[in-house]
Amino acid sequence: MSGRPGHSCSGVFVAGVPLVWLLLFVLLPLLIVFAISLAETRTGSPPYTPLFTWEAGFLPRIHVQASNYALLLSDRLYIDAFLSSLRIAATSSFIALLIAYPMAYAIARARESVRTPLLMLVILPFWTSFLIRVYAWTGILNSNGFINNVLLDFGLIKAPLPLLHTEFAVHLGIVYSYLPFMVLPIFAVLEKLDWTYLEAAADLGARPLKAFLRVTLPLSLPGIFAGVLLVFIPALGEFIVPELLGGPDTLMVGRVLWTEFFSNRDWPLASALAIGLLVLVLVPAIVFFRLMRKEEAA
Amino acid sequence: MDTHQDGPVRRPLQPAAANPIPLLRIEKASKRFGLVTAVDAVSLDIHRGEFFCLLGGSGSGKTTLLRMIAGLELPDEGRIAIEGEDVTGAPAYARPVNMMFQSYALFPHLSVEKNVAFGLQEEGRPKAEIAKRVREALEMLDMGAFSARKPHQLSGGQRQRVAFARALVKHPKILLLDEPLAALDKKLRERAQFELVRLRERVGITFVMVTHDQEEAMGMASRIALMQDGKIVQAGSPRELYDAPVSRYVADFFGTSNLFEGNIKECARGEAAVESAEAGTVLRGQYGERLAAQTSVAVMVRPEQVHLSREAPQAENVLRGKIASAAFLGNCHACQVTLDSGKTVLARLSPAEFGKAGSPAAGETVHLFWPSAAARVLKQ
């Protein structure tokens, strides 16, 4: 009996700290952003109309209007920004998957003694700042950068290739930056995979490729889903990569949001864009968790 | 054909002579893992219809040999042929054999039905045929009602049946079983033993089973190969291995035995005379190969072959000793008799025989004896 109160106390504490954290730093800012998205822009500080005004001293009056969302849905610029973000995030995730899967597979099948060093190599880029690493690519992709210089020196090209400030560079930057997020969850699944299943598949007449498609691939789907989600979601709202590597015409929500917020000082519209992005991210996340639950139930 | 056996002997269903080409022939196959030689120049013929058992302790190479037959390991040296066709380098997917894995290795993402259908789909069989054969296989194993379940929704015994159905449905020339009963609890195991033997007779497929359990091998196999350190120590029917082991190791592996150390005095007409200080007399027994005089050997007698009497009998191999203990075990009496040399001999007598011997109690002096045909001279 004496242990009980202390127990529940620590239980409340353990569950309570993250809860308070989430309330203060996730839910509250989100509510503020949502409130701003319903306001009107104005010159002044803060640059938006208040949510409540106090009329006759007592009665609060709520000022809410959805014109920002209406604008998002009617203006081509914003629709294009969302569509283009979705497209770039989707293709980057797919390319990252194609590169990461063989990497994860090779690491999972490597001898135990080299597995940890290989994993360290995957994580190593995180030890340098994300911004610096993306910036470094400008030096490589520049018209007098490393790649163009080498190609010119070998006489393979006459004039420098336009690599930097293209959509290609944006894909490259996203794939490069988020590759570890794809490798790690797939590795985690493949490492736990019982290779006897592959022996059983071979014994039942499946050639290696068929065994992979019928056994390994379906059994690694949870890792693939998790990896795709971990790349797709940050790629969707990515700002640094399109800003540094993208061209003036590379349209992505993150960039548009930045422009609305800092250049146009249209906080309500920027907030509406942020909420729109959040909804866009939530959809694949919810689909993923539905799939996972179905998998577990089956 | 074989004449040196008395008593019932389990044989291959079809005698070897009817099939000059063995179903499976392994010739001097070796497999090394680093410095360890797992299988060391093993040669073995297995014939159609046999229930063959590879028996041995852990590290004896029995599982590696089985995996080489399956094609999951390729031999470093030697040859493997199935029905005369060389499959030494053939990958697992190209061999007409199927394996039931010790862990069963049922695909966790597929239902029972799809697990069983997997191999037939790989063969490219028509859908209707696959459905029919899968249903038949599952029904034969009383698993028809579980076809939609996933492996994790099944009990251990049910999983074993599915694994069995999955391997069997392809009608392999040889079904390989890697410790098929090890994952079951004891009670289930005994039932599954009988079931496997019954099923083998029904489907008529040649079985090669790996086990470390001597009783399991004796109870199920038509022929056993006992392995030690990557080599086959002895291969033969369970009866041969029990009655005529070639070494102390084999004698010891198959139940308890009395061993008397000694030296060969003479060998003649299948019978050897051995001078044994432990026995305090000359013992006679059967031998496998002719041995030179003075060769150091052991004479083996199974406890149930040892007879007991108060008076000195007119017989060969008579020893005198004192009963150290006599325990009634229900179906037999187990007597420990200490000889003058200090050697303890174990005798197992049926209650009737024990009564005929006058039911001697501990401390009484008795005579032990056995026919020379029941004793075996072992070199190693």
Side-chain angles (χ1 to χ4, degrees):
Chain A
M1 276 309 277
S2 61
R4 271 288 164 87
H7 231 82
S8 65
C9 246
S10 66
V12 165
F13 186 73
V14 166
V17 168
L19 199 67
V20 169
W21 178 277
L22 285 174
L23 281 175
L24 274 180
F25 299 109
V26 178
L27 195 63
L28 194 62
L30 200 65
L31 285 174
I32 293 172
V33 169
F34 184 64
I36 296 174
S37 77
L38 297 172
E40 259 176 282
T41 180
R42 69 166 192 194
T43 41
S45 179
Y48 55 89
T49 53
L51 193 59
F52 302 107
T53 49
W54 302 93
E55 228 149 78
F58 303 111
L59 291 166
R61 203 173 138 192
I62 306 170
H63 304 276
V64 171
Q65 46 104 15
S67 66
N68 293 312
Y69 291 99
L71 189 64
L72 288 190
L73 294 173
S74 58
D75 195 319
R76 253 344 285 182
L77 172 78
Y78 304 117
I79 296 170
D80 285 350
F82 276 119
L83 287 179
S84 154
S85 292
L86 276 174
R87 184 172 49 80
I88 290 174
T91 46
S92 311
S93 307
F94 185 67
I95 295 166
L97 173 64
L98 290 185
I99 299 171
Y101 199 98
M103 277 175 77
Y105 192 91
I107 298 172
R109 292 225 82 170
R111 268 181 296 121
E112 210 148 332
S113 55
V114 292
R115 222 178 280 166
T116 315
L118 286 174
L119 274 181
M120 281 305 294
L121 286 177
V122 171
I123 305 166
L124 201 64
F126 286 138
W127 292 20
T128 314
S129 151
F130 176 69
L131 186 65
I132 289 170
R133 279 185 290 131
V134 176
Y135 191 71
W137 274 104
T138 61
I140 299 172
L141 300 171
N142 234 329
S143 47
N144 61 2
F146 177 75
I147 294 177
N148 274 316
N149 280 343
V150 168
L151 292 177
L152 282 170
D153 286 349
F154 281 97
L156 291 167
I157 50 169
K158 293 272 184 309
L161 294 172
L163 296 173
L164 191 59
H165 303 310
T166 59
E167 212 170 83
F168 160 76
V170 175
H171 279 105
L172 183 77
I174 291 175
V175 169
Y176 161 77
S177 307
Y178 295 112
L179 195 64
F181 293 114
M182 188 70 89
V183 174
L184 294 177
I186 297 175
F187 166 79
V189 170
L190 288 179
E191 195 206 17
K192 276 187 290 176
L193 193 95
D194 185 350
W195 299 107
T196 319
Y197 294 138
L198 284 185
E199 291 189 339
D203 183 69
L204 292 168
R207 287 161 177 277
L209 183 65
K210 283 293 285 294
F212 172 78
L213 291 175
R214 295 191 70 185
V215 177
T216 316
L217 196 62
L219 287 176
S220 53
L221 275 182
I224 293 174
F225 283 144
V228 166
L229 214 60
L230 285 176
V231 174
F232 183 81
I233 289 175
L236 202 58
E238 184 56 50
F239 167 71
I240 291 176
V241 175
E243 185 67 19
L244 291 181
L245 305 179
D249 54 340
T250 311
L251 209 54
M252 286 190 81
V253 183
R255 253 177 131 186
V256 174
L257 198 150
W258 172 279
T259 313
E260 292 299 345
F261 201 88
F262 292 99
S263 307
N264 300 348
R265 278 185 70 78
D266 192 340
W267 285 24
L269 187 61
S271 303
L273 274 165
I275 297 293
L277 188 61
L278 185 76
V279 171
L280 218 57
V281 166
L282 273 177
V283 171
I286 289 169
V287 169
F288 170 72
F289 287 114
R290 277 275 161 80
L291 279 174
M292 288 302 291
R293 204 168 303 159
K294 214 187 261 176
E295 192 99 320
E296 264 165 41
Chain B
M1 270 156 261
D2 294 28
T3 50
H4 64 275
Q5 281 295 335
D6 48 0
V9 178
R10 254 169 298 181
R11 302 202 163 283
L13 298 185
Q14 284 168 288
N19 278 300
I21 300 171
L23 178 60
L24 174 75
R25 166 160 281 179
I26 301 171
E27 271 176 25
K28 295 196 178 119
S30 294
K31 180 73 190 175
R32 280 177 287 275
F33 296 111
L35 294 171
V36 181
T37 304
V39 172
D40 192 358
V42 165
S43 295
L44 184 66
D45 279 1
I46 294 177
H47 296 276
R48 225 166 258 101
E50 283 197 273
F51 193 143
F52 196 90
C53 186
L54 294 168
L55 177 66
S58 60
S60 61
K62 57 190 192 303
T63 302
T64 307
L65 188 60
L66 190 80
R67 289 170 59 84
M68 286 204 290
I69 300 172
L72 297 169
E73 308 282 357
L74 297 181
D76 295 322
E77 283 153 33
R79 252 184 96 240
I80 298 173
I82 295 172
E83 287 186 329
E85 193 188 325
D86 194 307
V87 296
T88 311
Y93 58 78
R95 295 194 186 193
V97 302
N98 283 114
M99 173 127 143
M100 184 175 149
F101 291 81
Q102 185 175 4
S103 63
Y104 306 145
L106 295 176
F107 303 126
H109 59 299
L110 298 179
S111 66
V112 165
E113 196 175 10
K114 289 192 173 137
N115 262 287
V116 178
F118 192 98
L120 294 175
Q121 285 166 348
E122 285 301 324
E123 284 178 14
R125 302 266 168 197
K127 270 202 176 126
E129 186 197 332
I130 294 176
K132 183 167 168 274
R133 278 169 70 174
V134 168
R135 202 179 49 242
E136 281 170 1
L138 287 174
E139 270 165 15
M140 186 171 77
L141 291 154
D142 296 326
M143 287 298 291
F146 299 90
S147 57
R149 296 252 187 117
K150 288 274 180 76
H152 70 91
Q153 294 167 313
L154 301 175
S155 72
Q158 290 168 336
R159 261 178 246 167
Q160 190 232 14
R161 284 150 180 268
V162 177
F164 192 69
R166 187 176 72 172
L168 210 61
V169 78
K170 290 201 41 157
H171 300 326
K173 296 214 164 105
I174 307 169
L175 182 70
L176 308 169
L177 304 110
D178 186 5
E179 302 263 7
L181 310 175
L184 304 178
D185 57 62
K186 196 173 154 41
K187 212 169 169 189
L188 213 53
R189 197 155 50 208
E190 275 168 22
R191 230 185 62 191
Q193 260 188 40
F194 288 114
E195 216 164 83
L196 265 182
V197 173
R198 188 177 57 82
L199 274 165
R200 203 214 62 75
E201 277 159 15
R202 205 168 137 192
V203 297
I205 291 173
T206 307
F207 279 21
V208 179
M209 178 176 91
V210 153
T211 182
H212 65 275
D213 186 328
Q214 163 265 129
E215 274 179 47
E216 209 172 284
M218 297 270 275
M220 296 165 81
S222 59
R223 208 148 62 95
I224 299 173
L226 180 65
M227 292 188 70
Q228 185 192 15
D229 298 330
K231 291 195 175 83
I232 292 180
V233 186
Q234 190 176 2
S237 70
R239 192 67 202 238
E240 274 163 14
L241 266 66
Y242 187 79
D243 287 344
V246 296
S247 67
R248 292 180 176 90
Y249 181 79
V250 181
D252 223 40
F253 209 95
F254 292 94
T256 35
S257 53
N258 295 301
L259 292 172
F260 301 93
E261 304 294 330
N263 297 309
I264 293 277
K265 208 172 138 199
E266 58 165 344
C267 275
R269 277 171 274 111
E271 226 172 75
V274 176
E275 187 90 62
S276 172
E278 269 184 335
T281 177
V282 171
L283 298 175
R284 294 184 166 275
Q286 315 285 313
Y287 61 88
E289 57 175 307
R290 179 171 285 279
L291 297 162
Q294 291 312 309
T295 314
S296 142
V297 292
V299 178
M300 182 211 79
V301 189
R302 295 286 181 193
E304 63 273 17
Q305 302 282 7
V306 178
H307 301 289
L308 228 151
S309 74
R310 279 222 171 90
E311 289 79 40
Q314 288 295 313
E316 301 166 298
N317 310 307
V318 182
L319 308 180
R320 218 171 62 115
K322 256 198 186 107
I323 297 209
S325 73
F328 176 57
L329 302 179
N331 54 351
C332 70
H333 290 264
C335 304
Q336 287 190 305
V337 179
T338 310
L339 306 182
D340 294 339
S341 66
K343 167 94 179 164
T344 302
V345 180
L346 187 66
R348 224 175 270 147
L349 294 103
S350 69
E353 209 182 342
F354 189 70
K356 223 192 279 172
S359 305
E364 282 189 51
T365 300
V366 289
H367 293 88
L368 301 165
F369 62 100
W370 57 83
S372 301
R376 200 70 204 169
V377 177
L378 310 177
K379 201 175 129 194
Q380 288 156 351

